[in-house]
Amino acid sequence: MPFAEDPAHLSKSRLKSDLVAHNVALPSAASKKAVYVELHLKHIDQKNAADFSSDEEDRADDKKDAEMPVPSCLTDEDLKAMLRKHGVKPGPITASTRVLYERKLHKLLQSDRRERLNEADKAVLYSDSEEEKKQQEKDQDSGSEKQPDPSDQTQKESSQNHVFYPQCFLPSSRLRPCPPRNTESSSNWNSRNALKSSERSQSQCSQIISTSTADHHTGLGSTVLPRSKSTDDSSLSSQYFSITQMVEEMENSSSRSVTDNACEFNGTSVQENWAQSDRPPQEPVKDAFKDILPGSKTTPTGIYVTRRRPIKGAAQRPVQYSYPDSPVSPMTQQRREVERYLVPIHIQILVFIIVACVLYLIYVNVEGSLSYWSYGEDRLLVQAESQDAEADYAQD
Amino acid sequence: MSTTSQKHRDFVGEPMADKPVTALSGIGETLGKKLEENGFDKAYVVLGQFLLLRKDTEMFTDWLKDSIGANSRQASSCAQCLKEWCDAFL
């Protein structure tokens, strides 16, 4: 409903629909247009006037809404254009259909708004992580005393970041007491310690550590970094290593009662998915970690790895350290053993068909040739006889 | 055929001609009266509204719910009825 339009200029049906939209009781169907106009003026224009005054007061708040036009303020053409922009193909916008299309546009705008907010959140998160990463790497290279600053920053920023849900990784680390990689124990695990200790063990994997710690802080590591073996768990593959590393990191850091950065996972694609999908508040989970592992010690990079201990004796089976490539049940194995001696079934069928064909061919040939042979034999006999006869005649 | 009512089948089975709105599936006495009050006194007028909304059943059900206070079942039944009629005869 354009503001400038006089209700008297609107059609009766249009007035009706407007009244319906504003929940005004309709007069009887036979009443004149003047009645509709009156009602329209009475209820709707008053409402608009009130809205105007409130609008003037709340200009600042409405600035946001300026981007998002109110569907009821649009003309028919504008409404059509807006709907088309959102991929909806509207039919004719008449008195009866206008309200519906306005509502549809409103819904679309709301969903757009929600999407934009989500993107904004993500953008903030990513931008923070990039800044932190650069700073971390700079510090690592220079080895200067600027370490406390990024750690503070990371703490601040990470406190704003959401923490990821580490539930899946919990049990693996709890099964075995973690052998301390670094005898140093500090009450506040933070990037400074990590960086220092990483410098010490730099000989093996300097860059990897730095980026892994950077990732740790940012919580948005992009790659799973394979670490060279520097722990006691030699049996793990490098990939598993990094994931459990993060778990240990998290536990240790949580036990150190630092802020959210302790609980952030990094360097795993799973973590990324979590970051992108949803990030529920992690406070209760973090506390649980601290309670569970209060005494675990720190490692040079705070990264711990423990392999899940096989449950020996649970099924009266010996510990099996190397597993076959694909899980095979004992029944399948037995069947395979037996089948090795037997001829495969496809070959059996093939052979059967071949033999059948051969036999059939023989049968056909024999059948045919029997008559032929008999005929041939007769002819031969006849020929022989005739030859003999000729011979006899010749003799005679 | 499994979930359609007799009314539905009656309506969809032949051209609607001059049938009243109460012949539509889902529209009974009360709703029919409300539609007539709104000016939709014949089934073809309701069909007109359906076509105006580009045969969009969702929008049509919304419109029915708003204009005459139909519930979801009634509105969707009417929309489905009209849609099938259109498929058959339009």
Side-chain angles (χ1 to χ4, degrees):
Chain A
M1 292 163 286
F3 294 131
E5 213 172 293
D6 196 357
H9 293 159
L10 296 170
S11 69
K12 189 176 170 188
S13 49
R14 182 65 174 271
L15 289 168
K16 242 198 215 176
S17 67
D18 285 349
L19 291 173
V20 167
H22 288 91
N23 293 324
V24 180
L26 286 172
S28 64
S31 53
K32 288 192 174 176
K33 185 180 169 183
V35 183
Y36 284 104
V37 172
E38 245 186 75
L39 279 170
H40 193 277
L41 281 167
K42 207 163 82 175
H43 293 100
I44 295 165
D45 291 342
Q46 275 178 12
K47 193 174 170 189
N48 284 345
D51 288 344
F52 288 151
S53 56
S54 63
D55 283 347
E56 282 163 23
E57 289 165 3
D58 302 337
R59 268 306 141 88
D61 296 338
D62 288 344
K63 260 187 187 172
K64 263 192 196 172
D65 293 339
E67 299 172 4
M68 250 71 76
V70 182
S72 47
C73 309
L74 295 168
T75 63
D76 288 349
E77 296 301 320
D78 289 343
L79 183 63
K80 230 188 254 190
M82 294 287 297
L83 283 166
R84 284 222 188 88
K85 235 194 277 176
H86 289 89
V88 176
K89 213 176 167 194
I93 297 186
T94 67
S96 49
T97 60
R98 183 169 169 113
V99 176
L100 296 166
Y101 284 126
E102 280 175 14
R103 210 177 294 152
K104 193 158 195 174
L105 184 64
H106 189 67
K107 273 187 226 167
L108 289 166
L109 290 173
Q110 274 184 347
S111 63
D112 276 355
R113 228 176 281 173
R114 265 185 239 126
E115 277 176 25
R116 266 184 238 181
L117 286 173
N118 287 341
E119 284 173 15
D121 284 344
K122 281 181 214 165
V124 166
L125 192 63
Y126 288 138
S127 63
D128 285 349
S129 69
E130 282 173 10
E131 287 169 12
E132 288 175 13
K133 215 174 186 174
K134 288 177 192 167
Q135 285 172 355
Q136 293 287 344
E137 287 178 356
K138 273 186 200 167
D139 293 339
Q140 179 61 30
D141 294 338
S142 62
S144 63
E145 301 99 306
K146 284 186 189 173
Q147 289 167 359
D149 295 336
S151 71
D152 291 340
Q153 275 191 10
T154 56
Q155 283 189 9
K156 279 181 206 166
E157 285 168 349
S158 57
S159 63
Q160 296 167 6
N161 293 344
H162 294 276
V163 184
F164 307 123
Y165 237 93
Q167 270 179 352
C168 307
F169 295 133
L170 263 182
S172 62
S173 53
R174 258 186 276 155
L175 284 174
R176 217 202 266 185
C178 314
R181 241 183 274 153
N182 183 13
T183 52
E184 165 192 16
S185 64
S186 60
S187 58
N188 277 321
W189 186 93
N190 56 19
S191 62
R192 200 191 322 172
N193 281 339
L195 287 169
K196 280 185 184 166
S197 49
S198 67
E199 281 167 23
R200 260 182 260 129
S201 55
Q202 214 165 352
S203 57
Q204 288 209 350
C205 39
S206 57
Q207 279 187 348
I208 294 168
I209 291 168
S210 69
T211 49
S212 70
T213 51
D215 291 345
H216 175 83
H217 289 296
T218 62
L220 281 172
S222 54
T223 57
V224 174
L225 303 164
R227 272 193 97 205
S228 58
K229 183 202 164 266
S230 57
T231 66
D232 305 328
D233 305 301
S234 55
S235 52
L236 272 181
S237 71
S238 58
Q239 277 196 351
Y240 298 139
F241 209 91
S242 57
I243 292 170
T244 47
Q245 266 175 29
M246 306 315 158
V247 176
E248 299 298 337
E249 249 180 324
M250 183 264 315
E251 285 170 2
N252 289 328
S253 53
S254 65
S255 67
R256 295 289 159 264
S257 76
V258 191
T259 56
D260 297 355
N261 65 356
C263 294
E264 286 172 2
F265 283 126
N266 45 50
T268 65
S269 55
V270 179
Q271 194 180 4
E272 279 176 36
N273 290 338
W274 287 336
Q276 286 158 17
S277 55
D278 51 9
R279 297 175 249 119
Q282 293 299 312
E283 291 306 322
V285 181
K286 265 193 329 170
D287 294 334
F289 292 163
K290 292 175 203 167
D291 296 337
I292 288 164
L293 299 169
S296 46
K297 295 180 187 172
T298 57
T299 58
T301 56
I303 297 168
Y304 252 117
V305 169
T306 53
R307 191 173 70 90
R308 180 186 174 282
R309 191 182 185 183
I311 302 167
K312 182 178 176 181
Q316 298 302 320
R317 282 196 293 260
V319 174
Q320 190 179 357
Y321 286 106
S322 66
Y323 291 87
D325 291 353
S326 66
V328 177
S329 72
M331 280 305 298
T332 323
Q333 283 172 349
Q334 283 177 11
R335 204 149 39 91
R336 284 186 188 169
E337 285 284 329
V338 171
E339 280 174 4
R340 246 179 251 161
Y341 300 103
L342 303 176
V343 179
I345 197 160
H346 293 111
I347 296 177
Q348 283 183 5
I349 292 171
L350 200 64
V351 166
F352 172 77
I353 290 171
I354 290 170
V355 168
C357 287
V358 166
L359 287 172
Y360 180 72
L361 285 169
I362 292 169
Y363 173 79
V364 162
N365 284 333
V366 166
E367 279 288 297
S369 59
L370 265 177
S371 57
Y372 177 76
W373 283 350
S374 57
Y375 178 70
E377 271 177 25
D378 289 343
R379 282 188 65 197
L380 282 172
L381 283 171
V382 166
Q383 277 182 3
E385 282 174 13
S386 63
Q387 278 178 1
D388 290 340
E390 283 174 11
D392 288 340
Y393 285 137
Q395 280 178 6
D396 290 344
Chain B
M1 212 45 186
S2 54
T3 53
T4 55
S5 64
Q6 187 59 41
K7 211 171 170 188
H8 182 287
R9 292 194 284 273
D10 288 343
F11 191 85
V12 176
E14 58 179 2
M16 64 175 80
D18 237 6
K19 284 185 191 170
V21 282
T22 45
L24 283 163
S25 170
I27 307 295
E29 286 262 0
T30 333
L31 291 177
K33 224 172 257 176
K34 287 192 194 165
L35 274 173
E36 280 165 26
E37 281 170 17
N38 283 354
F40 297 86
D41 55 344
K42 291 285 181 186
Y44 59 74
V45 191
V46 182
L47 173 72
Q49 181 67 19
F50 182 68
L51 296 174
L52 267 180
L53 295 167
R54 299 181 62 86
K55 300 197 234 169
D56 186 346
T57 45
E58 203 183 301
M59 292 205 72
F60 183 74
T61 46
D62 287 342
W63 174 78
L64 272 179
K65 286 186 212 174
D66 290 333
S67 61
I68 58 171
N71 64 34
S72 294
R73 191 191 57 79
Q74 291 165 323
S76 56
S77 171
C78 182
Q80 189 60 30
C81 172
L82 280 170
K83 186 171 191 303
E84 284 185 27
W85 190 93
C86 289
D87 291 341
F89 297 103
L90 210 53

